[in-house]
Amino acid sequence: MNITENKSEGLVKSFKVVVAADEFKAAYDKKLAETATKVKLPGFRPGNTPIGIVEQKYGQAVKGDAAEALIQDASSKIVMENKLRLAVAPKVDVAKFEDGQDFEFSIEFEVLPEIGSVDLSKVSVEKPTAQVSDEEVEKALKRLADARKSTEVINEDRLTKEGDVVVIDFVGTINGEEFRGGSGKDFYLALGSNTFIPGFEPQLVSKKIGETVNVNVTFPAEYHVKDLAGKEAVFATTLKELRQYKEAEVNDEFAKTFGQETLDGLKNVIKEELAKEYANVSNVHLKRAILDALAPVCSFDAPQSMVDMEFDAIWKQFENAKARGQLDEDEKNASEEDLKAEYKAIAVRRVKLGLLLAEIANQNKITLDAADIQKAISAEAARNPGYEKQVFEFYQKNPKAMEALRAPLFEEKVVDFVSKNIQITEKVMTPEELYAFDPDKK
């Protein structure tokens, strides 16, 4: 087997391989003998079929197997001798494959770039943070109280107005026929809450209790029930009772409904939960800042095959979102050419950052262990209360799901390592600023 380097351009390296005719014949004979021990043909015991009959029946398949084995041998030898780190599986191009002739082919390898050592101590980022103020705690407490407020009957003979709560029965029809999901009894509706279809609630204002009103509305064109979208409907609505909201009293008794003995105890819990929430948002921004700071370190080339695969995945997501009508305004208004250019740039960035994080992990011996996996599955189970056992069984029985869990988990572990070895400056802002923070905007 004669191997010569054909060309080398960037991360792509190509080698020409020539297998002499007699060497190919030896590989063919070996494969033929192996096949003869396995086949079972009528009239012969297994392993005793004459080699000529085996060749007559399986010769072409054996020839292909021999070629494949030689290609694999050549590929392994090239990788070992040249210490290649492959980005993807090599490409093989057969130039000559004829009986009694030399077997000639070329193998093209796309290799991973050389990244070198990464000095994290020189990387600096800004981390947006927010403190939990007493005012924020009071706002959260009010939201809890609003969620727990009740209603009481208004014993007053007057017309309904916006802000009232009316108890109604209603029957909806389209072209005189009732439709599924269009009826209800003893429904509490806050006038002005925009709970119902646009135009419904205003028609119940300035009405008397006991009155039946024919409410005429048109379902929105984007209504979630396609059979109703854009259609005109009439709801025969009877106003049965007039009520008003009664604010919940925020005191120790109120705190007990949340499992706390005192109001101060409830406030402390709220403060702790808000602090966790702000920290989560802050960490999301920190990860983005870290990746942005690492991007300039990615001065190496990205393997084109990896970029193409990443772009294909992104574009498939885009086309799926387009089919579901879920594109944002920027995507709707951009040309396909501009979008492809933007997404290709994103694909390059993702591939480069992925390779850089992998190299950082390699240099610092960062790996995932069983405890990391178990912790991630436990966290997933905690997000599905009542189904914890099913979550664990799902991952145990689905290797692909487990592998899908490993990739982001590994990235998080590497980014966490990076965060402990770079310079971080905190930037304190209000909670509103933290949630609205966009590093791309000046």
Side-chain angles (χ1 to χ4, degrees), residues 272-316:
E272 290 171 3
E273 290 302 314
L274 285 176
K276 289 179 185 177
E277 190 176 320
Y278 295 169
N280 288 337
V281 177
S282 179
N283 287 332
V284 170
H285 290 314
L286 176 61
K287 179 180 178 180
R288 165 69 187 275
I290 288 174
L291 295 179
D292 285 347
L294 289 176
V297 180
C298 303
S299 56
F300 50 85
D301 292 332
Q304 189 59 47
S305 54
M306 295 179 72
V307 172
D308 290 343
M309 287 189 290
E310 185 66 35
F311 170 77
D312 288 344
I314 294 172
W315 193 251
K316 186 175 181 180

Side-chain angles (χ1 to χ4, degrees), residues 197-200 203 213-219 232-237:
I197 306 162
F200 188 103
Q203 296 180 56
V213 181
N214 284 330
V215 178
N216 295 277
V217 293
T218 301
F219 283 95
E232 296 180 356
V234 179
F235 287 86
T237 307

Side-chain angles (χ1 to χ4, degrees), residues 111 113 116 158 188 219 270 405:
V111 300
R158 66 169 174 79
Y188 282 57
F219 283 95
I270 292 173
L405 187 69

Side-chain angles (χ1 to χ4, degrees), residues 280 375-388 391-392 395 405 408-409:
N280 288 337
K375 183 179 179 181
I377 296 176
S378 296
E380 189 66 26
R383 286 192 283 271
N384 295 273
Y387 297 91
E388 291 86 352
V391 171
F392 278 101
Y395 282 106
L405 187 69
L409 189 62

Side-chain angles (χ1 to χ4, degrees), residues 394-413:
F394 172 76
Y395 282 106
Q396 289 172 354
K397 297 177 181 178
N398 292 273
K400 287 186 177 180
M402 183 73 80
E403 192 59 34
L405 187 69
R406 291 178 65 90
L409 189 62
F410 178 70
E411 180 180 284
E412 289 294 334
K413 191 167 185 178

